[in-house]
Amino acid sequence: MAALTRLAFAALLLGASQFAAAACNLDQNWEYTNPTAAGCGDVILRYTENDTNNATEIALGYPVPIPVDSLTPVAGFRTYASLLAAQQDMMATHAEVAGYIVGTTVAGRDIWAYRIGTPTDTTIYGQPKGAVMAVGGTHAREWQPPEVIAELFERLVAGRADAGIGQYLSDNLAVILVPVLNVDGFLLTQKFPDTSTADPRVPRDGRMRRKNLRHPAGGAVDDLLTTVDDNMYGVDLNRNHPQGFRSDARNGMERSLIYAGASAHSEPEVDALLDAAALVPAGRLRLFMDVHSFTQVYFAPQTGNAARNARTQELAARMRAVTGNKYRYSPDPQGLEIGTAADHFAVAHEVPSWTLETEPLNGGQDYPGGTGASHSGFITPDSEIPRVRDELARTSLLGFYHQAGPPSVVAAEIRDATGALVWSIDWVPGAPGARTLALRTDGALVAGETYTAWIAFDKPMRWRNGAGVITQYAGQTARLTPSVSLEVATTGANRAIALSGGAWLDAPGPGADGFLNYRDDAYAVEFTLPADLPSAATAAVLVIDTDDLAGQKLDADPATAVDWQGGTWAGYQATVPDCTLRLWVGAVGAAPHSLECTALDDTPPPPPAPAPSGGGGQGGWLCLVALFLAARRALNRSAGRSAPALP
């Protein structure tokens, strides 16, 4: 959040009576003009729950959070050492987690970034992986973000083999997490969890340090609050990027809360952030989130790319809905902001990018008993942290799922009433960005006969609650039942035969009885062809229209694999249903027909020889196809199906 807004709000809360008593001089922008004067910079402030015995005690109205040592989440905050140890343990014990020291701080401490997901740069479908990135701990006093990133980290690891969304993300998306960027400052705030300095209206250093430890004379400031001269030095890491660098006069004031540094990208912590982004191949990033606190808002820089701006707002709307729109969306109408990381990634990578400010909305008074003391919004009560972690982890996972890509069909088959395979296809990976439709089995359907159609998609399409019932992911409005029909070419208008009453599949095969790679990535429906269809060979198309659990419509042409380019989805046709699956109804011998469903080439392949009675035309070739499909599914399913599903 912009420093000026917070400071002005704090002043209103405290009232004019405290202004006269203050020894510190503050200008109209709430910057100190006498920071080292006796009675100003040397004043030690203490946070309490209720005590206000003197002017230096600040009552929050709830217990002062003290970080604890724990390798697992607690009802409150963990020490940096605990967060680091837990993440290092996950790195050491799970092949899906790779850790990197991407830089060192001003004081020489390591900055860790983690890449979560299978180590390849391609999806299981043979296309280049996309990537998303989330960062916490940019501002030292903001303790909520490291906890949010830690929760997200833990859920991604727990779900890596859940046969659902967690495994899908692990297989098909690279997730880059930087849990704590400003390690020096974060450690200093945890050293003084109930102490800050200077004026109660604008507390600094100790628990309220915002910046890194950069000393303008070189090296790092010390971690002693009694060294008054250097307590207000440091660089605001979220003003150190070139887009909007020093756009505010205060950005050049070394003791300002928003001092931007000597030059853009001057700080080692910011260099580390850029190196973390390079843990995936160039051009693969699809989302950047810099998590901060507070004011419950997505601060989203706007660029000259209208398509990127629109996609950013669309994605934020989906994510905001997860928490009932309690978070606001704030696009910057002037274009770039003020040298933030979100500004940089929006411009340099052309991806949805924002500064996500966690709760509270106003300050500590938003919580039971909270007094609303100045800057108390940075000190969220311990009791609220489990809920905040949960809400924002669920929100982020939906965003990651969305940016992994829109859904497309990857395979389909039709079997007759005996279970014999009649028709089957799958999309084969080609060059990056391309697929080829492989017709594996090309038997004709017969009027009056009963069949089962099985359609597989490239991602889990639905969400199940704790009881295993398909429902909406929190806040979403996806169509829970797909529209599937068989469009048959007839004289005049084509005849559409609805295939209704099907089900999403939440158990593995064999064959068309189960999902392909993930729970609910396949849909099966039984149908009977009308007896009055033409007896001559007639072209038909299997028409599919649906969306994924985040509301993204099915890609209508899987031949052009969807990818992120230039700030939007490239190769994505979402305006018409998928009409690419051609087949035959009736006997052999008639000329091809044109189908109205699609503007693509509608000429079907040459009709096959008539299928033997009752056998669906399978023979030895179809046995090989069945073995191929079974082997493919077996390869794509991991053995660890007992891992807990993502909540």
Side-chain angles (χ1 to χ4, degrees):
M1 179 184 178
L4 178 58
T5 302
R6 291 179 181 148
L7 298 178
F9 178 75
L12 290 174
L13 287 174
L14 286 169
S17 62
Q18 293 194 27
F19 280 52
C24 294
N25 295 326
L26 298 165
D27 66 16
Q28 70 274 17
N29 291 318
W30 298 95
E31 296 288 352
Y32 286 88
T33 61
N34 62 335
T36 61
C40 180
D42 58 353
V43 173
I44 302 296
L45 307 172
R46 188 172 69 88
Y47 292 100
T48 70
E49 180 175 0
N50 295 308
D51 294 341
T52 54
N53 295 324
N54 58 63
T56 62
E57 290 186 336
I58 303 173
L60 299 173
Y62 41 79
V64 179
I66 305 296
V68 299
D69 290 319
S70 175
L71 295 180
T72 57
V74 298
F77 299 94
R78 287 167 282 180
T79 62
Y80 174 71
S82 294
L83 292 169
L84 178 63
Q87 290 152 11
Q88 294 284 297
D89 181 68
M90 287 186 284
M91 178 185 72
T93 55
H94 298 294
E96 298 83 4
V97 180
Y100 305 87
I101 297 173
V102 289
T104 55
T105 65
V106 168
R109 296 184 174 97
D110 292 337
I111 301 171
W112 281 88
Y114 302 89
R115 173 173 164 158
I116 303 174
T118 55
T120 65
D121 288 327
T122 56
T123 70
I124 65 169
Y125 308 106
Q127 296 299 326
K129 269 187 184 179
V132 295
M133 185 171 179
V135 181
T138 299
H139 289 151
R141 63 190 178 186
E142 299 170 13
W143 288 8
Q144 296 97 309
E147 286 289 341
V148 169
I149 301 296
E151 178 78 8
L152 184 55
F153 195 148
E154 290 153 6
R155 292 199 188 192
L156 287 166
V157 172
R160 71 199 183 283
D162 65 0
I165 291 177
Q167 185 172 338
Y168 165 73
L169 293 176
S170 180
D171 288 345
N172 301 287
L173 189 72
V175 180
I176 304 299
L177 299 180
V178 182
V180 180
L181 182 65
N182 185 2
V183 179
D184 292 343
F186 188 56
L187 284 168
L188 192 148
T189 65
Q190 291 202 329
K191 179 179 179 180
F192 301 102
D194 63 349
T195 307
S196 60
T197 67
D199 193 303
R201 295 170 294 176
V202 194
R204 298 286 291 269
D205 214 25
R207 179 63 180 85
M208 282 299 147
R209 172 165 283 273
R210 169 185 171 97
K211 302 184 287 183
N212 74 355
L213 300 190
R214 168 72 68 190
H215 196 294
V221 304
D222 64 34
D223 60 357
L224 302 174
L225 301 189
T226 53
T227 309
V228 176
D229 180 67
D230 66 7
N231 282 352
M232 295 188 188
Y233 285 140
V235 171
D236 182 348
L237 300 178
N238 209 33
R239 298 293 186 274
N240 191 235
H241 294 271
Q243 293 78 13
F245 181 72
R246 288 202 174 185
S247 57
D248 187 310
R250 293 171 294 166
N251 296 154
M253 299 165 56
E254 292 175 339
R255 287 191 169 94
S256 170
L257 271 174
I258 57 173
Y259 174 55
S263 60
H265 289 168
S266 63
E267 300 310 293
E269 294 90 348
V270 173
D271 283 344
L273 179 64
L274 303 180
D275 287 345
L279 294 176
V280 295
R284 303 316 306 158
L285 197 65
R286 294 177 178 174
L287 171 64
F288 176 80
M289 303 193 313
D290 190 10
V291 185
H292 286 252
S293 64
F294 62 100
T295 60
Q296 288 178 208
V297 65
Y298 290 68
F299 281 122
Q302 303 295 281
T303 70
N305 185 332
R308 189 217 68 93
N309 295 344
R311 290 295 186 194
T312 299
Q313 185 165 359
E314 172 191 338
L315 176 59
R318 288 285 177 186
M319 295 174 66
R320 290 169 54 232
V322 174
T323 53
N325 294 312
K326 66 189 289 186
Y327 284 77
R328 297 160 293 137
Y329 182 72
S330 179
D332 178 7
Q334 303 303 318
L336 299 178
E337 285 196 26
I338 44 179
T340 69
D343 294 331
H344 175 73
F345 280 86
V347 175
H349 294 266
E350 293 190 296
V351 297
S353 176
W354 47 65
T355 303
L356 171 58
E357 299 278 0
T358 68
E359 63 176 74
L361 175 61
N362 301 303
Q365 73 269 31
D366 289 357
Y367 301 116
T371 63
S374 178
H375 287 58
S376 58
F378 295 115
I379 309 179
T380 304
D382 285 337
S383 59
E384 303 293 334
I385 294 307
R387 176 186 52 77
V388 171
R389 284 195 304 249
D390 174 68
E391 289 180 352
L392 291 181
R394 288 187 288 115
T395 297
S396 299
L397 290 171
L398 180 83
F400 293 177
Y401 169 91
H402 187 285
Q403 290 304 97
S408 67
V409 172
V410 291
E413 61 184 42
I414 296 177
R415 294 178 179 268
D416 66 17
T418 71
L421 191 64
V422 178
W423 172 87
S424 66
I425 63 92
D426 61 85
W427 287 97
V428 180
R435 301 188 184 99
T436 301
L437 183 65
L439 181 66
R440 306 292 185 182
T441 310
D442 198 13
L445 308 187
V446 179
E449 296 295 317
T450 297
Y451 300 92
T452 297
W454 175 86
I455 305 161
F457 303 85
D458 62 355
K459 65 193 305 186
M461 297 291 285
R462 296 295 173 262
W463 177 257
R464 293 179 185 260
N465 62 19
V469 177
I470 287 178
T471 186
Q472 299 285 2
Y473 195 96
Q476 307 308 299
T477 55
R479 295 170 291 174
L480 297 183
T481 303
S483 171
V484 182
S485 62
L486 188 67
E487 185 175 313
V488 182
T490 60
T491 303
N494 293 340
R495 183 173 179 179
I497 303 164
L499 278 55
S500 58
W504 293 102
L505 305 176
D506 69 339
D513 296 328
F515 58 72
L516 177 63
N517 296 301
Y518 313 105
R519 281 194 312 273
D520 303 313
D521 74 352
Y523 182 82
V525 57
E526 184 178 291
F527 64 97
T528 300
L529 282 180
D532 62 348
L533 288 177
S535 58
T538 305
V541 63
L542 192 63
V543 183
I544 306 162
D545 189 12
T546 188
D547 44 22
D548 66 19
L549 63 86
Q552 292 188 109
K553 285 181 64 67
L554 186 69
D555 181 20
D557 183 13
T560 54
V562 178
D563 201 0
W564 188 269
Q565 294 179 10
T568 190
W569 295 119
Y572 183 29
Q573 291 83 36
T575 56
V576 293
D578 182 349
C579 302
T580 58
L581 307 183
R582 321 298 167 75
L583 60 156
W584 288 89
V585 173
V588 175
H593 292 266
S594 177
L595 299 173
E596 296 173 359
C597 175
T598 175
L600 301 173
D601 179 9
D602 295 316
T603 304
S613 175
Q618 66 271 27
W621 163 245
L622 295 189
C623 290
L624 290 174
V625 171
L627 289 172
F628 167 80
L629 291 173
R632 174 180 171 177
R633 290 179 191 132
L635 287 172
N636 286 331
R637 295 184 185 120
S638 76
R641 296 306 187 198
S642 60
L646 292 172

